[in-house]
Every structure is written in C-alpha cells, then in structure tokens.
Amino acid sequence: MDDQGCPRCKTTKYRNPSLKLMVNVCGHTLCENCVDMLFVRGSGNCVQCDTPLRKSNFRLQLFEDPAIDKEVEIRKKVLKIYNKRDFDFASLSEYNDYLEQVEEIVFNLTNNVEVESTKQMMEQYQRENRDIIQRNKAKLTREQEELEELLLLEQQDSQQRRLETLQEEQRQLQAKRKSKQALLDELENSQLPASILLAQHKDRAVQLETQIEKQKQSVKPATIFSTGILKGQTVSLAPVAHIEEVLYKYQSLHIETFGPPVPELEQLDRIGYLNHVRTATPQDLAGGYTSGLACHRALQDAFSGLFPSLI
C-alpha cells in the first residue's frame, strides 16, 4: 500500500500518508493536487494514456489496483443497460448466455479490447430493448426504496433502543448514588450501630440489582429484520407426518454379455486365472488396484460378444 503514488508528482503514501489518489474512466491515477492543477478548466487529457477526461469524473480510488476501480465503474454502467432478470428468459441456459455476454462486455471495456464494436453493440441493444430496460429500472428502483425503508425503520428502532438503554443506565446510576448518599446520611445521623446500617444498605443494594436485572430482561427486542421477516414468529412443534415407504432392496447388476458366463470375482484365484496376472504392489493397493479386479474386467471384455447369433 505504501508503494502507491501519483505518477505525475511522484508523491507516495509512504512519504505522505494523507495522500488522496483519484481515478478516472481510463483507470489511471492522479493525486488530488495534480487533478486540481491539470484540470482547472474542467477537462484535459490523461498524463499516461492521453485520453480526454473530465474533472467531474474523477473519484476517490478505493482499491489498491486502479484497474479494479475501473472495472467496478464500467460494470455499474453496463448493468444499467443490461438489467434483465432470470424471469425475463424462457430457460436457465438463455439466462446464463446473457450473463456470459455481460461479462464479455465488461472484460472488453476494462482491458480495451474491441472497444468501439463493444460500444456499438451496447447502443444497439439499448435501442432494441428500451422498454424492457425502463421497466426493469423502475422495478429495481421500487425494490431499493422498499429495502431502504426497512433499513431506515431498523435503524430508527436501533437508535430508540440505544437511547432507552442510555436513559435506563442513567436512572440506575442515579439510584445507586442516592443509595450511597442515603447510607452516608444514616451513618452520620442514625443512632444504630454501623454494622446494622451496612447490612441494611447491602440488602437494599441486592434488591436494587435484582430490580435492574428484571428490567434488563423485560427489554422489548426488535420485531422485524431488514429483510422484512418478523422476529419471534411462533413455530409449530407438531410432529412431522410419517410417510410409509417401501424400503429399497439392492439387486446385483446383471449385464448381458452375449457370450459364455464370466467366473465370479471370488472364483478367479481358485480356478487359476490369477496365476497369469501381475501381483499388485503396495502402491497399487493404495490406489485401489487389485489383481482380481483387473483380471475380472479383462475376462468380461474377452467373453463379450462371442455368441454373435444372440445379438
């Protein structure tokens, strides 16, 4: 992070920790002072790629790599045009092809690959799908407004709870101070022994702490999440209905080889087939290879199709 710096004045974050780097649409950075100096008229060219730029398009660099800032900005602009949802397509395959096309456009504009043809394709798509773009933009705006309202309600509820908690803490602190002052007054004016007064004060302190704990437990929790889901919903504890099903029974796989029957895997050693097969090494056994399995597969291949008249 300390190696980041302005390519024009060569100031780095190591020498100036408060340095603010700005980035524009071309993806190259300049410090805030150089932007004010070079773009005093509101526009100018990039000092690295000579791209015409506007001062109003400069924004604070958020990522260590300015190319990421460039991609984020390009992706925002592309998604304002390519704003279709999955339910706008007849199948998932078409939606995936659409997403792949969007990613290809972002890649081309970010890496300066076929920029002109990509922009022309975007303009053509925008003309052909103007109604859908406006409809989805309005729908997205409504969803954002609803989400912002829920977030605002949750924030207000949180602030109200925080204020109530602070007020309750202040009341508790005042009650403790009054109790301590009352003890001092009793020790000064009362004729009772100090031990009795201290015991009475201790009992009152315990009662006060018990009352405070009860008040803490009775604090009303939040009633809704920002997603709109209510908190504290009652859950049915009724037992799940049991469904009678027929248990699965395994049946060995029968393969029609159209040839003589293949000996079982357990019979190969007794018959003598394994005498002509390489013995498995410990490394082979660790990988799952066994001599019997390899021999059995070879016999299946050899015996298959020997009776062509049955095929």
Side-chain angles (χ1 to χ4, degrees), residues 255 257 260 262-263 293-305:
I255 301 176
T257 60
V262 180
L293 184 59
C295 180
H296 191 257
R297 291 180 178 176
L299 289 175
Q300 286 178 334
D301 292 340
F303 287 4
S304 295

Side-chain angles (χ1 to χ4, degrees), residues 54-222:
R54 291 183 177 274
K55 183 179 180 180
S56 58
N57 290 335
F58 275 96
R59 60 195 179 280
L60 189 65
Q61 181 178 337
L62 300 177
F63 300 94
E64 185 174 355
D65 186 359
I68 300 178
D69 288 271
K70 179 182 178 182
E71 180 183 348
V72 169
E73 190 66 21
I74 291 174
R75 187 176 295 276
K76 289 180 181 178
K77 294 180 179 179
V78 172
L79 292 180
K80 286 182 180 178
I81 300 174
Y82 290 82
N83 59 358
K84 287 185 178 180
R85 304 288 191 88
D86 52 351
F87 46 76
D88 292 325
F89 297 89
S91 64
L92 180 61
S93 177
E94 294 180 5
Y95 180 56
N96 289 333
D97 293 340
Y98 170 80
L99 294 178
E100 186 174 353
Q101 182 184 7
V102 172
E103 292 301 323
E104 184 177 356
I105 292 173
V106 174
F107 176 83
N108 290 346
L109 296 179
T110 304
N111 298 278
N112 299 323
V113 178
E114 301 177 353
V115 176
E116 292 301 325
S117 60
T118 302
K119 289 183 178 179
Q120 291 176 3
M121 182 176 64
M122 290 178 61
E123 292 174 359
Q124 181 181 357
Y125 175 85
Q126 189 172 9
R127 288 193 301 268
E128 295 175 352
N129 299 272
R130 188 177 303 275
D131 295 338
I132 299 177
I133 293 173
Q134 293 298 330
R135 183 189 64 195
N136 288 341
K137 188 180 297 184
K139 186 182 299 182
L140 182 61
T141 303
R142 288 196 300 271
E143 292 177 356
Q144 289 177 344
E145 289 178 354
E146 293 175 358
L147 181 59
E148 289 176 357
E149 289 178 0
L150 290 174
L151 290 174
L152 181 60
L153 290 174
E154 184 178 353
Q155 184 179 4
Q156 292 176 350
D157 189 29
S158 177
Q159 292 177 351
Q160 181 65 26
R161 292 199 307 272
R162 191 181 300 113
L163 179 61
E164 292 176 356
T165 302
L166 291 175
Q167 293 175 350
E168 184 63 29
E169 289 178 354
Q170 290 293 334
R171 287 195 294 269
Q172 294 171 6
L173 184 60
Q174 291 178 1
K176 290 181 179 179
R177 288 176 180 173
K178 289 181 179 179
S179 177
K180 186 180 294 185
Q181 186 63 37
L183 173 63
L184 295 177
D185 293 342
E186 289 179 355
L187 289 174
E188 182 179 358
N189 302 321
S190 178
Q191 301 298 327
L192 296 175
S195 58
I196 297 177
L197 295 176
L198 290 175
Q200 293 176 352
H201 174 72
K202 186 176 181 180
D203 293 338
R204 288 196 298 268
V206 171
Q207 293 177 0
L208 181 60
E209 291 294 333
T210 304
Q211 184 180 1
I212 292 174
E213 289 297 326
K214 289 181 179 179
Q215 291 176 353
K216 288 182 179 179
Q217 294 176 0
S218 63
V219 173
K220 186 178 179 181

